[in-house]
Amino acid sequence: TKTWESLHPKSIEWYQELVHLFTTNENWKVYREALNNTTPPCVPYLGLYLSDLVFIEGHAEELNPKLLEENNLINFGKLYKTAATIGKLQQFQTQESYCLEKYAVVRDFIFQCE
């Protein structure tokens, strides 16, 4: 508690906002809404999308896996969900949205760490 007491109240407020934003309740509902309302540049939490893809892969055939396998059927629902998830992630990869300035101090620090 001593550490929390030494923090500036604004820092504690920011921390509480981040805790609220990144809560995993309701499948990351608050974070997903924030991402939907954000325009690039943005670096989203990749683990969210990876978890979605793992879920899609693992649960897509639960309805009737033998039917799909025995009849050589394609699960278009699974393909659609996979493509939609990847598409959501790709929206943040547009190069023209990132107009970042070069900072020699940061670059030199990164190269110095190698």
Side-chain angles (χ1 to χ4, degrees):
T1 60
K2 245 183 176 181
T3 304
W4 287 106
E5 292 170 0
S6 65
L7 290 175
H8 189 276
K10 190 68 177 170
S11 297
I12 295 172
E13 182 181 329
W14 287 340
Y15 173 77
Q16 291 170 342
E17 288 175 14
L18 288 172
V19 167
H20 174 70
L21 178 65
F22 288 102
T23 183
T24 58
N25 295 344
E26 297 182 53
N27 195 20
W28 301 78
K29 181 181 178 183
V30 175
Y31 181 66
R32 288 179 192 274
E33 288 174 354
L35 278 178
N36 288 336
N37 295 325
T38 300
T39 54
C42 174
V43 180
Y45 173 54
L46 187 59
L48 177 71
Y49 297 98
L50 294 176
S51 296
D52 289 348
L53 291 171
V54 168
F55 180 81
I56 292 166
E57 180 65 28
H59 293 85
E61 278 99 16
E62 281 186 357
L63 296 174
N64 197 342
K66 288 183 181 180
L67 176 68
L68 292 173
E69 190 177 307
E70 291 172 359
N71 296 306
N72 289 328
L73 298 176
I74 297 172
N75 188 338
F76 285 102
K78 175 181 169 180
L79 293 176
Y80 175 79
K81 289 177 184 177
T82 300
T85 301
I86 293 170
K88 288 177 190 175
L89 183 57
Q90 285 179 325
Q91 75 180 351
F92 297 109
Q93 293 181 329
T94 57
Q95 292 295 325
E96 60 230 23
S97 299
Y98 295 92
C99 300
L100 304 174
E101 296 179 27
K102 295 178 183 178
Y103 288 98
V105 175
V106 175
R107 183 197 63 219
D108 294 342
F109 175 78
I110 292 171
F111 287 131
Q112 181 184 3
C113 292
E114 290 183 14

